[in-house]
Amino acid sequence: MLFSADHRRSLIPVVPFLVIYLGGLALFGLHRPCWHDECHFVDTIMGFEQQFTLSTLTHYNEMSMPLPFVLYAAWGKAFGDSLMVLRLFSLCITGVTLLSFQYLFFLTVRNRTVSFLLLLFLALNPYMAGAGVFVYTDMLMMLSLALFMTGIVRRNAPLLFFSAAAGLLCRQYFIFAVAAGILYFILSGTRNSGEDLPWRAPVGALLAATIPAAALFALWHGLNPDNADKSLYISGGPRFHPNSLTLYITLFSVYAFPLLAVYRKRFYRNPRILVCSLLCGLWYPLFPIVASAVALDVNKPTVGYFHRLLRRWPGERFEHWVFFVLFTLALPVCFRLGIDLIGGVRLRKVDLRVFLGLATFSFLAVMPFSYLHWEKYFLPLVPVLALYCATAPISSGSKPGRRNTAGLP
C-alpha cells in the first residue's frame, strides 16, 4: 500500500503542509541560542563525535539512551556540528516522522481526509513542534513509534524488530510499547476465533529487540548510564510515583481535548461510567499534580506548558480545581479503553483497538516509575489516542468488531 495510487493521493494536502510546517519551525528555531536541555544534549553529542569508545558509552552524562546522541554525532561528523546544522538534522527527522505517521493513519483508517486531520492533530501539539526543530531526543523515539505501530498493523516481524530495538535505544520507557506488542500478538494468536494469524514471529522479533538495550543495562549495572546524575536522581532504585499517574491521566483531557470533544458521546454517555469516574476522581486530592522533586531542585515548579498557563490564569490558587475537573473528565476515557480491551479479548476479537488499549495501560503502568514526570512525556500517547478514536465503532448499536473505517463519529 505504500506509494500506491490511493496513498499518493492522500499525500496531496500533506506535502504542502509539511513544507509550511517545517519552514515555520526553521524560521522560528534555527537561529536561536540553545534551548534549555538542548545545551547539555549538544555537549553529549560532541563527546560522542570526538571519542566514540566503550568508556564514552558507559559514562556519558545523560539519563536517557544513546542512539539519538550517536546519530546526531554521525551527522555532525559528516556535515558539521554547529547548532544550526544539528537542528537541520532535527528537521529532517521530523519530516520523516510525520510522513511515517501519515502512512500509519492512512493505512489504518483508509480515509484521506481523516488521516490528514489526525496528522494535523499530532503535528500541532506544542511539544511535537518543539522537538521538531531543537536538538532533542524525542523525535527519533516518535519515529520509532510510528514504524512500530505500522509493524503492528502489518504484522511485519523485521519492521517490529528494527523499530522496537531503535525505540528502546532512544528511551527506556519505550518498553511500554514493546510489552503491549508482545501481549497483543500472544492474545491475537491464541484468542482470535476463526483466524490463523501469525504471532510467534512477531513475538520473537520483539523479544530479540530487547537484547541491545539489555546489553547496555548490563554494561551500566542499571537502567541508566553510569554517571554522577544516576546516583543523584535515582538513588534507592525506581519507585512508583502516584502523582505521575495522576498527571498522565489528566493529560488525556489536555492534549487529546479535540478528540474528546468530537467523540464526546462515546465517552460521556454511559451513566455508570460517569458515576464511577466521579468516585474515582477522589484519587486526585490524595495524589495531586505537583512538580517532581528533581524538577523542584532545579527551580522548575511546574510540569509543563499547560501547568504554566494555569499559573498565569486562573492562577495558582485555582490550578488544582482545574486539574481535578480535567482528571475526572479523563477517567471515562480510561474506562472505555478498558471496556473495549476486555471486550475484545472476551469476544475473541483481538484487533488494533485491543493493542491501543494495551499500549495506553502499559504506558500508565511504566511512566510513574520515572524519577521525573513532565507533560512532554505524554507525547507517545497522542497518536495512540488519535487512532483509538478514529477507529471507533460506527454506533453504540454496532455489532461487536464492526469498525468505522472512515474514522468519523
Side-chain angles (χ1 to χ4, degrees), residues 104-105 108-109 118 121 149 252 256 259-260 263 266-267 273 330-342 351-361 381-394 403-404 407-409:
L104 168 68
F105 295 150
T108 306
V109 301
L118 293 179
F121 171 70
M149 292 176 70
F252 284 37
L259 296 173
L260 304 193
Y263 294 90
R266 174 159 180 77
F267 298 122
I273 289 179
L331 289 174
V333 184
C334 294
F335 281 118
R336 177 52 61 187
L337 277 159
I339 290 168
D340 286 352
L341 170 57
I342 294 170
D351 57 8
L352 176 64
R353 289 172 63 78
V354 169
F355 167 75
L356 298 174
L358 289 170
T360 301
F361 290 117
L381 272 197
V382 174
V384 171
L385 293 174
L387 276 182
Y388 173 73
C389 289
T391 55
I394 295 174
R403 301 301 180 209
N404 177 8
L408 298 175

Side-chain angles (χ1 to χ4, degrees), residues 157 161 182 199-209:
F161 170 80
I182 291 172
W199 62 276
R200 290 181 178 83
V203 169
L206 292 176
L207 290 173

Side-chain angles (χ1 to χ4, degrees), residues 16-48:
F17 167 72
L18 285 182
V19 171
I20 296 170
Y21 182 79
L22 296 174
L25 291 183
L27 289 174
F28 170 78
L30 277 185
H31 298 287
R32 287 178 176 266
C34 65
W35 189 266
H36 300 294
D37 287 341
E38 189 182 35
C39 302
H40 64 82
F41 286 159
V42 170
D43 290 339
T44 302
I45 290 165
M46 297 300 181
F48 275 105

Side-chain angles (χ1 to χ4, degrees), residues 50-380:
Q50 293 164 8
Q51 192 176 33
F52 183 37
T53 64
L54 189 61
S55 177
T56 307
L57 195 61
T58 305
H59 303 293
Y60 67 95
N61 197 34
E62 300 290 346
M63 296 295 287
S64 58
M65 302 294 276
L67 181 60
F69 307 114
V70 172
L71 294 179
Y72 273 99
W75 175 275
K77 214 168 187 63
F79 302 105
D81 55 14
S82 69
L83 184 58
M84 187 175 77
V85 173
L86 292 176
R87 285 173 173 171
L88 286 173
F89 186 41
S90 295
L91 289 172
C92 293
I93 297 168
T94 302
V96 175
T97 300
L98 291 177
L99 284 172
S100 299
F101 271 115
Q102 190 276 338
Y103 174 67
L104 168 68
F105 295 150
F106 183 70
L107 175 67
T108 306
V109 301
R110 303 298 178 97
N111 182 287
R112 284 177 280 171
T113 302
V114 175
S115 62
F116 180 61
L117 291 175
L118 293 179
L119 182 68
L120 285 179
F121 171 70
L122 176 62
L124 296 180
N125 183 288
Y127 289 105
M128 195 72 175
V133 62
F134 298 124
V135 184
Y136 284 169
T137 61
D138 306 87
M139 195 56 70
L140 279 165
M141 183 271 297
M142 292 297 288
L143 174 58
S144 300
L145 180 64
L147 298 176
F148 179 84
M149 292 176 70
T150 301
I152 291 286
V153 174
R154 299 183 69 91
R155 293 179 172 267
N156 186 311
L159 181 58
L160 285 166
F161 170 80
F162 169 78
S163 58
L168 287 170
L169 291 176
C170 288
R171 287 298 178 91
Q172 292 92 329
Y173 64 73
F174 197 84
I175 192 64
F176 87 90
V178 178
I182 291 172
L183 187 53
Y184 165 72
F185 283 116
I186 291 175
L187 289 172
S188 68
T190 58
R191 292 290 299 175
N192 273 356
S193 58
E195 295 181 84
D196 185 19
L197 298 174
W199 62 276
R200 290 181 178 83
V203 169
L206 292 176
L207 290 173
T210 65
I211 294 174
L216 284 176
F217 298 155
L219 179 66
W220 297 335
H221 303 288
L223 300 179
N224 310 90
D226 187 13
N227 55 44
D229 287 345
K230 181 177 181 178
S231 58
L232 176 65
Y233 292 144
I234 56 172
S235 56
R239 294 188 300 274
F240 186 88
H241 301 93
N243 305 80
S244 299
L245 179 60
T246 307
L247 171 65
Y248 293 121
I249 291 176
T250 303
L251 292 179
F252 284 37
S253 300
V254 179
Y255 292 110
F257 178 79
L259 296 173
L260 304 193
V262 172
Y263 294 90
R264 60 191 177 278
K265 291 182 180 179
R266 174 159 180 77
F267 298 122
Y268 304 112
R269 205 173 189 177
N270 189 311
R272 287 178 293 180
I273 289 179
L274 294 179
V275 170
C276 289
S277 297
L278 287 172
L279 292 174
C280 292
L282 297 175
W283 168 278
Y284 186 88
L286 299 175
F287 304 104
I289 293 173
V290 292
S292 301
V294 171
L296 292 173
D297 287 344
V298 293
N299 200 29
K300 290 184 177 180
T302 61
V303 296
Y305 292 145
F306 183 74
H307 196 178
R308 286 186 221 165
L309 178 64
L310 291 183
R311 287 285 170 95
R312 290 177 176 270
W313 188 88
E316 189 172 353
R317 283 191 307 160
F318 301 101
E319 68 179 42
H320 287 298
W321 288 103
V322 176
F323 276 138
F324 170 72
V325 171
L326 293 172
F327 175 75
T328 306
L329 286 174
L331 289 174
V333 184
C334 294
F335 281 118
R336 177 52 61 187
L337 277 159
I339 290 168
D340 286 352
L341 170 57
I342 294 170
V345 175
R346 183 173 59 85
L347 297 173
R348 295 181 176 272
K349 189 66 179 179
V350 182
D351 57 8
L352 176 64
R353 289 172 63 78
V354 169
F355 167 75
L356 298 174
L358 289 170
T360 301
F361 290 117
S362 178
F363 179 91
L364 294 177
V366 167
M367 295 305 290
F369 284 96
S370 173
Y371 67 94
L372 175 67
H373 55 242
W374 196 252
E375 289 178 24
K376 182 178 70 170
Y377 298 153
F378 184 76
L379 202 53

